[in-house]
PDB file of all heavy atoms in Angstrom:
ATOM      1  N   ASN A  17     -17.101 -21.042 -72.953  1.00 86.00           N
ATOM      2  CA  ASN A  17     -17.764 -19.878 -73.545  1.00 86.00           C
ATOM      3  C   ASN A  17     -16.748 -18.942 -74.197  1.00 86.00           C
ATOM      4  O   ASN A  17     -16.995 -18.373 -75.269  1.00 86.00           O
ATOM      5  CB  ASN A  17     -18.545 -19.129 -72.467  1.00 86.00           C
ATOM      6  CG  ASN A  17     -19.058 -17.781 -72.932  1.00 86.00           C
ATOM      7  OD1 ASN A  17     -18.426 -16.755 -72.682  1.00 86.00           O
ATOM      8  ND2 ASN A  17     -20.185 -17.764 -73.607  1.00 86.00           N
ATOM      9  N   LEU A  18     -15.574 -18.815 -73.567  1.00 91.00           N
ATOM     10  CA  LEU A  18     -14.523 -17.956 -74.103  1.00 91.00           C
ATOM     11  C   LEU A  18     -14.037 -18.481 -75.456  1.00 91.00           C
ATOM     12  O   LEU A  18     -13.935 -17.725 -76.431  1.00 91.00           O
ATOM     13  CB  LEU A  18     -13.366 -17.900 -73.103  1.00 91.00           C
ATOM     14  CG  LEU A  18     -12.266 -16.867 -73.353  1.00 91.00           C
ATOM     15  CD1 LEU A  18     -12.829 -15.462 -73.346  1.00 91.00           C
ATOM     16  CD2 LEU A  18     -11.172 -17.006 -72.304  1.00 91.00           C
ATOM     17  N   VAL A  19     -13.776 -19.781 -75.532  1.00 92.00           N
ATOM     18  CA  VAL A  19     -13.319 -20.382 -76.792  1.00 92.00           C
ATOM     19  C   VAL A  19     -14.401 -20.274 -77.857  1.00 92.00           C
ATOM     20  O   VAL A  19     -14.113 -20.034 -79.041  1.00 92.00           O
ATOM     21  CB  VAL A  19     -12.913 -21.854 -76.554  1.00 92.00           C
ATOM     22  CG1 VAL A  19     -12.595 -22.547 -77.876  1.00 92.00           C
ATOM     23  CG2 VAL A  19     -11.718 -21.928 -75.617  1.00 92.00           C
ATOM     24  N   GLU A  20     -15.648 -20.431 -77.450  1.00 88.00           N
ATOM     25  CA  GLU A  20     -16.770 -20.305 -78.393  1.00 88.00           C
ATOM     26  C   GLU A  20     -16.799 -18.922 -79.033  1.00 88.00           C
ATOM     27  O   GLU A  20     -17.007 -18.785 -80.250  1.00 88.00           O
ATOM     28  CB  GLU A  20     -18.080 -20.571 -77.647  1.00 88.00           C
ATOM     29  CG  GLU A  20     -19.325 -20.507 -78.512  1.00 88.00           C
ATOM     30  CD  GLU A  20     -20.596 -20.714 -77.703  1.00 88.00           C
ATOM     31  OE1 GLU A  20     -20.541 -21.469 -76.708  1.00 88.00           O
ATOM     32  OE2 GLU A  20     -21.628 -20.126 -78.067  1.00 88.00           O
ATOM     33  N   ARG A  21     -16.535 -17.894 -78.236  1.00 86.00           N
ATOM     34  CA  ARG A  21     -16.529 -16.532 -78.782  1.00 86.00           C
ATOM     35  C   ARG A  21     -15.288 -16.276 -79.628  1.00 86.00           C
ATOM     36  O   ARG A  21     -15.351 -15.547 -80.620  1.00 86.00           O
ATOM     37  CB  ARG A  21     -16.642 -15.514 -77.649  1.00 86.00           C
ATOM     38  CG  ARG A  21     -17.990 -15.555 -76.944  1.00 86.00           C
ATOM     39  CD  ARG A  21     -18.227 -14.338 -76.094  1.00 86.00           C
ATOM     40  NE  ARG A  21     -18.286 -13.116 -76.880  1.00 86.00           N
ATOM     41  CZ  ARG A  21     -18.438 -11.902 -76.353  1.00 86.00           C
ATOM     42  NH1 ARG A  21     -18.533 -11.773 -75.045  1.00 86.00           N
ATOM     43  NH2 ARG A  21     -18.480 -10.828 -77.118  1.00 86.00           N
ATOM     44  N   TRP A  22     -14.148 -16.865 -79.254  1.00 90.00           N
ATOM     45  CA  TRP A  22     -12.961 -16.759 -80.107  1.00 90.00           C
ATOM     46  C   TRP A  22     -13.261 -17.303 -81.496  1.00 90.00           C
ATOM     47  O   TRP A  22     -12.830 -16.748 -82.499  1.00 90.00           O
ATOM     48  CB  TRP A  22     -11.805 -17.561 -79.519  1.00 90.00           C
ATOM     49  CG  TRP A  22     -11.216 -17.014 -78.266  1.00 90.00           C
ATOM     50  CD1 TRP A  22     -11.439 -15.794 -77.699  1.00 90.00           C
ATOM     51  CD2 TRP A  22     -10.283 -17.677 -77.409  1.00 90.00           C
ATOM     52  NE1 TRP A  22     -10.716 -15.649 -76.539  1.00 90.00           N
ATOM     53  CE2 TRP A  22      -9.988 -16.790 -76.334  1.00 90.00           C
ATOM     54  CE3 TRP A  22      -9.662 -18.926 -77.427  1.00 90.00           C
ATOM     55  CZ2 TRP A  22      -9.111 -17.125 -75.308  1.00 90.00           C
ATOM     56  CZ3 TRP A  22      -8.789 -19.273 -76.415  1.00 90.00           C
ATOM     57  CH2 TRP A  22      -8.514 -18.381 -75.365  1.00 90.00           C
ATOM     58  N   ASN A  23     -13.995 -18.394 -81.521  1.00 88.00           N
ATOM     59  CA  ASN A  23     -14.276 -19.070 -82.791  1.00 88.00           C
ATOM     60  C   ASN A  23     -15.338 -18.346 -83.609  1.00 88.00           C
ATOM     61  O   ASN A  23     -15.261 -18.295 -84.839  1.00 88.00           O
ATOM     62  CB  ASN A  23     -14.726 -20.510 -82.514  1.00 88.00           C
ATOM     63  CG  ASN A  23     -14.907 -21.308 -83.778  1.00 88.00           C
ATOM     64  OD1 ASN A  23     -13.976 -21.452 -84.567  1.00 88.00           O
ATOM     65  ND2 ASN A  23     -16.108 -21.829 -83.990  1.00 88.00           N
ATOM     66  N   ALA A  24     -16.326 -17.749 -82.914  1.00 79.00           N
ATOM     67  CA  ALA A  24     -17.485 -17.182 -83.616  1.00 79.00           C
ATOM     68  C   ALA A  24     -17.299 -15.722 -84.015  1.00 79.00           C
ATOM     69  O   ALA A  24     -17.887 -15.274 -85.011  1.00 79.00           O
ATOM     70  CB  ALA A  24     -18.734 -17.326 -82.737  1.00 79.00           C
ATOM     71  N   GLU A  25     -16.506 -14.962 -83.271  1.00 79.00           N
ATOM     72  CA  GLU A  25     -16.402 -13.522 -83.499  1.00 79.00           C
ATOM     73  C   GLU A  25     -14.997 -13.162 -83.985  1.00 79.00           C
ATOM     74  O   GLU A  25     -14.011 -13.387 -83.296  1.00 79.00           O
ATOM     75  CB  GLU A  25     -16.752 -12.758 -82.221  1.00 79.00           C
ATOM     76  CG  GLU A  25     -18.163 -13.065 -81.724  1.00 79.00           C
ATOM     77  CD  GLU A  25     -18.485 -12.386 -80.413  1.00 79.00           C
ATOM     78  OE1 GLU A  25     -18.152 -11.196 -80.269  1.00 79.00           O
ATOM     79  OE2 GLU A  25     -19.057 -13.054 -79.525  1.00 79.00           O
ATOM     80  N   GLU A  26     -14.954 -12.592 -85.172  1.00 78.00           N
ATOM     81  CA  GLU A  26     -13.686 -12.336 -85.849  1.00 78.00           C
ATOM     82  C   GLU A  26     -12.743 -11.462 -85.034  1.00 78.00           C
ATOM     83  O   GLU A  26     -11.525 -11.664 -85.039  1.00 78.00           O
ATOM     84  CB  GLU A  26     -13.974 -11.679 -87.206  1.00 78.00           C
ATOM     85  CG  GLU A  26     -12.758 -11.511 -88.084  1.00 78.00           C
ATOM     86  CD  GLU A  26     -13.108 -10.886 -89.420  1.00 78.00           C
ATOM     87  OE1 GLU A  26     -14.310 -10.602 -89.658  1.00 78.00           O
ATOM     88  OE2 GLU A  26     -12.184 -10.678 -90.228  1.00 78.00           O
ATOM     89  N   GLU A  27     -13.299 -10.485 -84.318  1.00 79.00           N
ATOM     90  CA  GLU A  27     -12.441  -9.557 -83.574  1.00 79.00           C
ATOM     91  C   GLU A  27     -11.745 -10.208 -82.380  1.00 79.00           C
ATOM     92  O   GLU A  27     -10.858  -9.598 -81.774  1.00 79.00           O
ATOM     93  CB  GLU A  27     -13.242  -8.346 -83.094  1.00 79.00           C
ATOM     94  CG  GLU A  27     -14.465  -8.666 -82.281  1.00 79.00           C
ATOM     95  CD  GLU A  27     -15.729  -8.763 -83.130  1.00 79.00           C
ATOM     96  OE1 GLU A  27     -15.648  -9.288 -84.248  1.00 79.00           O
ATOM     97  OE2 GLU A  27     -16.787  -8.323 -82.667  1.00 79.00           O
ATOM     98  N   TYR A  28     -12.146 -11.459 -82.051  1.00 87.00           N
ATOM     99  CA  TYR A  28     -11.524 -12.144 -80.921  1.00 87.00           C
ATOM    100  C   TYR A  28     -10.797 -13.422 -81.347  1.00 87.00           C
ATOM    101  O   TYR A  28     -10.411 -14.231 -80.485  1.00 87.00           O
ATOM    102  CB  TYR A  28     -12.579 -12.464 -79.857  1.00 87.00           C
ATOM    103  CG  TYR A  28     -13.317 -11.252 -79.366  1.00 87.00           C
ATOM    104  CD1 TYR A  28     -14.705 -11.154 -79.446  1.00 87.00           C
ATOM    105  CD2 TYR A  28     -12.622 -10.168 -78.836  1.00 87.00           C
ATOM    106  CE1 TYR A  28     -15.377 -10.023 -79.006  1.00 87.00           C
ATOM    107  CE2 TYR A  28     -13.288  -9.034 -78.398  1.00 87.00           C
ATOM    108  CZ  TYR A  28     -14.667  -8.968 -78.485  1.00 87.00           C
ATOM    109  OH  TYR A  28     -15.322  -7.841 -78.056  1.00 87.00           O
ATOM    110  N   ASN A  29     -10.587 -13.634 -82.649  1.00 88.00           N
ATOM    111  CA  ASN A  29      -9.882 -14.830 -83.121  1.00 88.00           C
ATOM    112  C   ASN A  29      -8.464 -14.925 -82.565  1.00 88.00           C
ATOM    113  O   ASN A  29      -7.902 -16.018 -82.452  1.00 88.00           O
ATOM    114  CB  ASN A  29      -9.806 -14.842 -84.651  1.00 88.00           C
ATOM    115  CG  ASN A  29     -11.157 -15.106 -85.302  1.00 88.00           C
ATOM    116  OD1 ASN A  29     -11.337 -14.842 -86.477  1.00 88.00           O
ATOM    117  ND2 ASN A  29     -12.135 -15.600 -84.548  1.00 88.00           N
ATOM    118  N   HIS A  30      -7.872 -13.766 -82.238  1.00 88.00           N
ATOM    119  CA  HIS A  30      -6.501 -13.756 -81.720  1.00 88.00           C
ATOM    120  C   HIS A  30      -6.395 -14.393 -80.341  1.00 88.00           C
ATOM    121  O   HIS A  30      -5.290 -14.629 -79.845  1.00 88.00           O
ATOM    122  CB  HIS A  30      -5.978 -12.316 -81.642  1.00 88.00           C
ATOM    123  CG  HIS A  30      -6.718 -11.480 -80.646  1.00 88.00           C
ATOM    124  ND1 HIS A  30      -7.980 -10.973 -80.886  1.00 88.00           N
ATOM    125  CD2 HIS A  30      -6.390 -11.083 -79.387  1.00 88.00           C
ATOM    126  CE1 HIS A  30      -8.382 -10.295 -79.819  1.00 88.00           C
ATOM    127  NE2 HIS A  30      -7.442 -10.345 -78.904  1.00 88.00           N
ATOM    128  N   GLY A  31      -7.543 -14.662 -79.705  1.00 91.00           N
ATOM    129  CA  GLY A  31      -7.530 -15.245 -78.366  1.00 91.00           C
ATOM    130  C   GLY A  31      -6.813 -16.584 -78.307  1.00 91.00           C
ATOM    131  O   GLY A  31      -6.216 -16.932 -77.278  1.00 91.00           O
ATOM    132  N   TYR A  32      -6.858 -17.366 -79.406  1.00 92.00           N
ATOM    133  CA  TYR A  32      -6.164 -18.655 -79.434  1.00 92.00           C
ATOM    134  C   TYR A  32      -4.651 -18.476 -79.277  1.00 92.00           C
ATOM    135  O   TYR A  32      -3.959 -19.345 -78.750  1.00 92.00           O
ATOM    136  CB  TYR A  32      -6.426 -19.361 -80.771  1.00 92.00           C
ATOM    137  CG  TYR A  32      -7.828 -19.887 -80.934  1.00 92.00           C
ATOM    138  CD1 TYR A  32      -8.745 -19.251 -81.773  1.00 92.00           C
ATOM    139  CD2 TYR A  32      -8.241 -21.040 -80.269  1.00 92.00           C
ATOM    140  CE1 TYR A  32     -10.028 -19.749 -81.936  1.00 92.00           C
ATOM    141  CE2 TYR A  32      -9.521 -21.544 -80.426  1.00 92.00           C
ATOM    142  CZ  TYR A  32     -10.415 -20.890 -81.258  1.00 92.00           C
ATOM    143  OH  TYR A  32     -11.689 -21.377 -81.415  1.00 92.00           O
ATOM    144  N   PHE A  33      -4.142 -17.356 -79.743  1.00 93.00           N
ATOM    145  CA  PHE A  33      -2.708 -17.111 -79.802  1.00 93.00           C
ATOM    146  C   PHE A  33      -2.120 -16.658 -78.464  1.00 93.00           C
ATOM    147  O   PHE A  33      -0.985 -16.992 -78.126  1.00 93.00           O
ATOM    148  CB  PHE A  33      -2.462 -16.052 -80.887  1.00 93.00           C
ATOM    149  CG  PHE A  33      -1.050 -15.592 -81.022  1.00 93.00           C
ATOM    150  CD1 PHE A  33      -0.063 -16.450 -81.475  1.00 93.00           C
ATOM    151  CD2 PHE A  33      -0.698 -14.282 -80.709  1.00 93.00           C
ATOM    152  CE1 PHE A  33       1.246 -16.024 -81.611  1.00 93.00           C
ATOM    153  CE2 PHE A  33       0.605 -13.845 -80.842  1.00 93.00           C
ATOM    154  CZ  PHE A  33       1.585 -14.723 -81.291  1.00 93.00           C
ATOM    155  N   LEU A  34      -2.896 -15.918 -77.685  1.00 94.00           N
ATOM    156  CA  LEU A  34      -2.359 -15.275 -76.485  1.00 94.00           C
ATOM    157  C   LEU A  34      -1.921 -16.241 -75.384  1.00 94.00           C
ATOM    158  O   LEU A  34      -0.896 -15.996 -74.732  1.00 94.00           O
ATOM    159  CB  LEU A  34      -3.367 -14.264 -75.945  1.00 94.00           C
ATOM    160  CG  LEU A  34      -3.577 -13.038 -76.844  1.00 94.00           C
ATOM    161  CD1 LEU A  34      -4.585 -12.085 -76.226  1.00 94.00           C
ATOM    162  CD2 LEU A  34      -2.264 -12.307 -77.090  1.00 94.00           C
ATOM    163  N   PRO A  35      -2.629 -17.351 -75.096  1.00 94.00           N
ATOM    164  CA  PRO A  35      -2.109 -18.282 -74.084  1.00 94.00           C
ATOM    165  C   PRO A  35      -0.725 -18.835 -74.448  1.00 94.00           C
ATOM    166  O   PRO A  35       0.111 -19.051 -73.564  1.00 94.00           O
ATOM    167  CB  PRO A  35      -3.159 -19.395 -74.051  1.00 94.00           C
ATOM    168  CG  PRO A  35      -4.423 -18.726 -74.487  1.00 94.00           C
ATOM    169  CD  PRO A  35      -3.993 -17.735 -75.526  1.00 94.00           C
ATOM    170  N   LEU A  36      -0.480 -19.040 -75.733  1.00 94.00           N
ATOM    171  CA  LEU A  36       0.839 -19.506 -76.171  1.00 94.00           C
ATOM    172  C   LEU A  36       1.899 -18.441 -75.911  1.00 94.00           C
ATOM    173  O   LEU A  36       3.025 -18.753 -75.498  1.00 94.00           O
ATOM    174  CB  LEU A  36       0.798 -19.866 -77.659  1.00 94.00           C
ATOM    175  CG  LEU A  36      -0.164 -20.998 -78.051  1.00 94.00           C
ATOM    176  CD1 LEU A  36      -0.157 -21.206 -79.560  1.00 94.00           C
ATOM    177  CD2 LEU A  36       0.218 -22.292 -77.340  1.00 94.00           C
ATOM    178  N   VAL A  37       1.545 -17.172 -76.167  1.00 93.00           N
ATOM    179  CA  VAL A  37       2.464 -16.068 -75.892  1.00 93.00           C
ATOM    180  C   VAL A  37       2.811 -16.030 -74.408  1.00 93.00           C
ATOM    181  O   VAL A  37       3.979 -15.860 -74.018  1.00 93.00           O
ATOM    182  CB  VAL A  37       1.849 -14.728 -76.343  1.00 93.00           C
ATOM    183  CG1 VAL A  37       2.717 -13.553 -75.900  1.00 93.00           C
ATOM    184  CG2 VAL A  37       1.671 -14.702 -77.850  1.00 93.00           C
ATOM    185  N   THR A  38       1.806 -16.197 -73.562  1.00 94.00           N
ATOM    186  CA  THR A  38       2.036 -16.205 -72.113  1.00 94.00           C
ATOM    187  C   THR A  38       3.004 -17.310 -71.710  1.00 94.00           C
ATOM    188  O   THR A  38       3.938 -17.083 -70.927  1.00 94.00           O
ATOM    189  CB  THR A  38       0.692 -16.378 -71.368  1.00 94.00           C
ATOM    190  OG1 THR A  38      -0.127 -15.229 -71.602  1.00 94.00           O
ATOM    191  CG2 THR A  38       0.912 -16.538 -69.875  1.00 94.00           C
ATOM    192  N   LEU A  39       2.812 -18.511 -72.250  1.00 93.00           N
ATOM    193  CA  LEU A  39       3.698 -19.631 -71.906  1.00 93.00           C
ATOM    194  C   LEU A  39       5.137 -19.364 -72.351  1.00 93.00           C
ATOM    195  O   LEU A  39       6.085 -19.657 -71.614  1.00 93.00           O
ATOM    196  CB  LEU A  39       3.169 -20.919 -72.555  1.00 93.00           C
ATOM    197  CG  LEU A  39       1.868 -21.477 -71.973  1.00 93.00           C
ATOM    198  CD1 LEU A  39       1.403 -22.680 -72.775  1.00 93.00           C
ATOM    199  CD2 LEU A  39       2.048 -21.850 -70.501  1.00 93.00           C
ATOM    200  N   VAL A  40       5.314 -18.798 -73.541  1.00 91.00           N
ATOM    201  CA  VAL A  40       6.657 -18.498 -74.039  1.00 91.00           C
ATOM    202  C   VAL A  40       7.330 -17.453 -73.160  1.00 91.00           C
ATOM    203  O   VAL A  40       8.509 -17.580 -72.795  1.00 91.00           O
ATOM    204  CB  VAL A  40       6.600 -18.016 -75.507  1.00 91.00           C
ATOM    205  CG1 VAL A  40       7.962 -17.485 -75.957  1.00 91.00           C
ATOM    206  CG2 VAL A  40       6.164 -19.149 -76.423  1.00 91.00           C
ATOM    207  N   PHE A  41       6.588 -16.420 -72.791  1.00 91.00           N
ATOM    208  CA  PHE A  41       7.166 -15.363 -71.955  1.00 91.00           C
ATOM    209  C   PHE A  41       7.541 -15.887 -70.565  1.00 91.00           C
ATOM    210  O   PHE A  41       8.563 -15.491 -69.994  1.00 91.00           O
ATOM    211  CB  PHE A  41       6.196 -14.192 -71.832  1.00 91.00           C
ATOM    212  CG  PHE A  41       6.109 -13.346 -73.074  1.00 91.00           C
ATOM    213  CD1 PHE A  41       5.195 -12.299 -73.149  1.00 91.00           C
ATOM    214  CD2 PHE A  41       6.915 -13.582 -74.171  1.00 91.00           C
ATOM    215  CE1 PHE A  41       5.105 -11.515 -74.290  1.00 91.00           C
ATOM    216  CE2 PHE A  41       6.840 -12.808 -75.308  1.00 91.00           C
ATOM    217  CZ  PHE A  41       5.932 -11.772 -75.369  1.00 91.00           C
ATOM    218  N   LEU A  42       6.712 -16.775 -70.005  1.00 90.00           N
ATOM    219  CA  LEU A  42       7.038 -17.358 -68.700  1.00 90.00           C
ATOM    220  C   LEU A  42       8.280 -18.241 -68.802  1.00 90.00           C
ATOM    221  O   LEU A  42       9.138 -18.248 -67.909  1.00 90.00           O
ATOM    222  CB  LEU A  42       5.845 -18.160 -68.173  1.00 90.00           C
ATOM    223  CG  LEU A  42       4.606 -17.353 -67.768  1.00 90.00           C
ATOM    224  CD1 LEU A  42       3.480 -18.291 -67.378  1.00 90.00           C
ATOM    225  CD2 LEU A  42       4.917 -16.399 -66.619  1.00 90.00           C
ATOM    226  N   TRP A  43       8.372 -18.998 -69.882  1.00 88.00           N
ATOM    227  CA  TRP A  43       9.538 -19.838 -70.100  1.00 88.00           C
ATOM    228  C   TRP A  43      10.797 -18.975 -70.224  1.00 88.00           C
ATOM    229  O   TRP A  43      11.858 -19.307 -69.688  1.00 88.00           O
ATOM    230  CB  TRP A  43       9.314 -20.668 -71.356  1.00 88.00           C
ATOM    231  CG  TRP A  43      10.463 -21.571 -71.727  1.00 88.00           C
ATOM    232  CD1 TRP A  43      11.249 -22.286 -70.872  1.00 88.00           C
ATOM    233  CD2 TRP A  43      10.941 -21.825 -73.047  1.00 88.00           C
ATOM    234  NE1 TRP A  43      12.195 -23.000 -71.582  1.00 88.00           N
ATOM    235  CE2 TRP A  43      12.031 -22.739 -72.927  1.00 88.00           C
ATOM    236  CE3 TRP A  43      10.560 -21.413 -74.305  1.00 88.00           C
ATOM    237  CZ2 TRP A  43      12.731 -23.211 -74.027  1.00 88.00           C
ATOM    238  CZ3 TRP A  43      11.242 -21.893 -75.414  1.00 88.00           C
ATOM    239  CH2 TRP A  43      12.323 -22.768 -75.267  1.00 88.00           C
ATOM    240  N   GLN A  44      10.667 -17.860 -70.917  1.00 86.00           N
ATOM    241  CA  GLN A  44      11.795 -16.963 -71.118  1.00 86.00           C
ATOM    242  C   GLN A  44      12.303 -16.390 -69.790  1.00 86.00           C
ATOM    243  O   GLN A  44      13.491 -16.130 -69.625  1.00 86.00           O
ATOM    244  CB  GLN A  44      11.385 -15.830 -72.063  1.00 86.00           C
ATOM    245  CG  GLN A  44      12.476 -14.815 -72.350  1.00 86.00           C
ATOM    246  CD  GLN A  44      12.172 -13.448 -71.750  1.00 86.00           C
ATOM    247  OE1 GLN A  44      11.070 -13.190 -71.302  1.00 86.00           O
ATOM    248  NE2 GLN A  44      13.169 -12.583 -71.740  1.00 86.00           N
ATOM    249  N   ARG A  45      11.401 -16.195 -68.835  1.00 84.00           N
ATOM    250  CA  ARG A  45      11.780 -15.644 -67.533  1.00 84.00           C
ATOM    251  C   ARG A  45      12.298 -16.708 -66.568  1.00 84.00           C
ATOM    252  O   ARG A  45      12.753 -16.382 -65.462  1.00 84.00           O
ATOM    253  CB  ARG A  45      10.572 -14.949 -66.906  1.00 84.00           C
ATOM    254  CG  ARG A  45      10.179 -13.640 -67.572  1.00 84.00           C
ATOM    255  CD  ARG A  45      11.311 -12.654 -67.514  1.00 84.00           C
ATOM    256  NE  ARG A  45      10.892 -11.299 -67.887  1.00 84.00           N
ATOM    257  CZ  ARG A  45      11.716 -10.259 -67.931  1.00 84.00           C
ATOM    258  NH1 ARG A  45      12.991 -10.430 -67.625  1.00 84.00           N
ATOM    259  NH2 ARG A  45      11.277  -9.076 -68.282  1.00 84.00           N
ATOM    260  N   GLY A  46      12.229 -17.968 -66.969  1.00 78.00           N
ATOM    261  CA  GLY A  46      12.607 -19.054 -66.057  1.00 78.00           C
ATOM    262  C   GLY A  46      14.018 -18.960 -65.536  1.00 78.00           C
ATOM    263  O   GLY A  46      14.274 -19.182 -64.342  1.00 78.00           O
ATOM    264  N   ALA A  47      14.988 -18.624 -66.418  1.00 73.00           N
ATOM    265  CA  ALA A  47      16.386 -18.570 -65.994  1.00 73.00           C
ATOM    266  C   ALA A  47      16.617 -17.493 -64.934  1.00 73.00           C
ATOM    267  O   ALA A  47      17.413 -17.685 -64.005  1.00 73.00           O
ATOM    268  CB  ALA A  47      17.275 -18.307 -67.214  1.00 73.00           C
ATOM    269  N   ILE A  48      15.925 -16.362 -65.052  1.00 75.00           N
ATOM    270  CA  ILE A  48      16.063 -15.295 -64.056  1.00 75.00           C
ATOM    271  C   ILE A  48      15.480 -15.719 -62.723  1.00 75.00           C
ATOM    272  O   ILE A  48      16.061 -15.495 -61.652  1.00 75.00           O
ATOM    273  CB  ILE A  48      15.385 -14.001 -64.550  1.00 75.00           C
ATOM    274  CG1 ILE A  48      16.082 -13.492 -65.812  1.00 75.00           C
ATOM    275  CG2 ILE A  48      15.390 -12.930 -63.474  1.00 75.00           C
ATOM    276  CD1 ILE A  48      15.431 -12.274 -66.420  1.00 75.00           C
ATOM    277  N   LEU A  49      14.315 -16.356 -62.771  1.00 74.00           N
ATOM    278  CA  LEU A  49      13.639 -16.750 -61.533  1.00 74.00           C
ATOM    279  C   LEU A  49      14.461 -17.774 -60.743  1.00 74.00           C
ATOM    280  O   LEU A  49      14.378 -17.837 -59.514  1.00 74.00           O
ATOM    281  CB  LEU A  49      12.252 -17.304 -61.857  1.00 74.00           C
ATOM    282  CG  LEU A  49      11.257 -16.301 -62.451  1.00 74.00           C
ATOM    283  CD1 LEU A  49       9.969 -16.997 -62.857  1.00 74.00           C
ATOM    284  CD2 LEU A  49      10.967 -15.185 -61.456  1.00 74.00           C
ATOM    285  N   LYS A  50      15.268 -18.568 -61.460  1.00 70.00           N
ATOM    286  CA  LYS A  50      16.080 -19.573 -60.765  1.00 70.00           C
ATOM    287  C   LYS A  50      17.169 -18.952 -59.894  1.00 70.00           C
ATOM    288  O   LYS A  50      17.673 -19.583 -58.963  1.00 70.00           O
ATOM    289  CB  LYS A  50      16.722 -20.511 -61.789  1.00 70.00           C
ATOM    290  CG  LYS A  50      15.739 -21.437 -62.488  1.00 70.00           C
ATOM    291  CD  LYS A  50      16.439 -22.221 -63.595  1.00 70.00           C
ATOM    292  CE  LYS A  50      15.442 -23.048 -64.385  1.00 70.00           C
ATOM    293  NZ  LYS A  50      16.081 -23.740 -65.530  1.00 70.00           N
ATOM    294  N   THR A  51      17.558 -17.738 -60.217  1.00 68.00           N
ATOM    295  CA  THR A  51      18.651 -17.092 -59.479  1.00 68.00           C
ATOM    296  C   THR A  51      18.167 -16.348 -58.248  1.00 68.00           C
ATOM    297  O   THR A  51      18.978 -15.771 -57.511  1.00 68.00           O
ATOM    298  CB  THR A  51      19.402 -16.107 -60.393  1.00 68.00           C
ATOM    299  OG1 THR A  51      18.513 -15.034 -60.749  1.00 68.00           O
ATOM    300  CG2 THR A  51      19.891 -16.796 -61.647  1.00 68.00           C
ATOM    301  N   LEU A  52      16.868 -16.328 -58.016  1.00 69.00           N
ATOM    302  CA  LEU A  52      16.309 -15.527 -56.933  1.00 69.00           C
ATOM    303  C   LEU A  52      15.747 -16.419 -55.832  1.00 69.00           C
ATOM    304  O   LEU A  52      15.095 -17.430 -56.115  1.00 69.00           O
ATOM    305  CB  LEU A  52      15.193 -14.611 -57.461  1.00 69.00           C
ATOM    306  CG  LEU A  52      15.575 -13.652 -58.595  1.00 69.00           C
ATOM    307  CD1 LEU A  52      14.335 -12.911 -59.087  1.00 69.00           C
ATOM    308  CD2 LEU A  52      16.620 -12.650 -58.113  1.00 69.00           C
ATOM    309  N   ASP A  53      15.986 -16.032 -54.597  1.00 68.00           N
ATOM    310  CA  ASP A  53      15.354 -16.696 -53.458  1.00 68.00           C
ATOM    311  C   ASP A  53      14.037 -15.974 -53.220  1.00 68.00           C
ATOM    312  O   ASP A  53      14.002 -14.881 -52.653  1.00 68.00           O
ATOM    313  CB  ASP A  53      16.250 -16.626 -52.229  1.00 68.00           C
ATOM    314  CG  ASP A  53      15.637 -17.349 -51.035  1.00 68.00           C
ATOM    315  OD1 ASP A  53      14.628 -18.052 -51.242  1.00 68.00           O
ATOM    316  OD2 ASP A  53      16.157 -17.208 -49.927  1.00 68.00           O
TER     317      ASP A  53
END
């Protein structure tokens, strides 16, 4: 339903982009997380 609304409603088209942003940001934090117990 979420993807359907991303596709149908212009104000939510950016929804496709945000999961990719989340993955990049998590990847960027990976090196820091490795140094922590």
Side-chain angles (χ1 to χ4, degrees):
N17 170 263
L18 190 60
V19 173
E20 181 183 328
R21 293 195 63 183
W22 290 349
N23 185 58
E25 301 176 44
E26 187 179 359
E27 55 267 38
Y28 303 123
N29 289 163
H30 66 284
Y32 289 106
F33 175 67
L34 292 180
L36 298 177
V37 173
T38 294
L39 290 175
V40 171
F41 285 175
L42 291 175
W43 179 39
Q44 180 248 349
R45 288 300 192 181
I48 297 176
L49 294 174
K50 290 174 185 176
T51 66
L52 303 175
D53 182 10

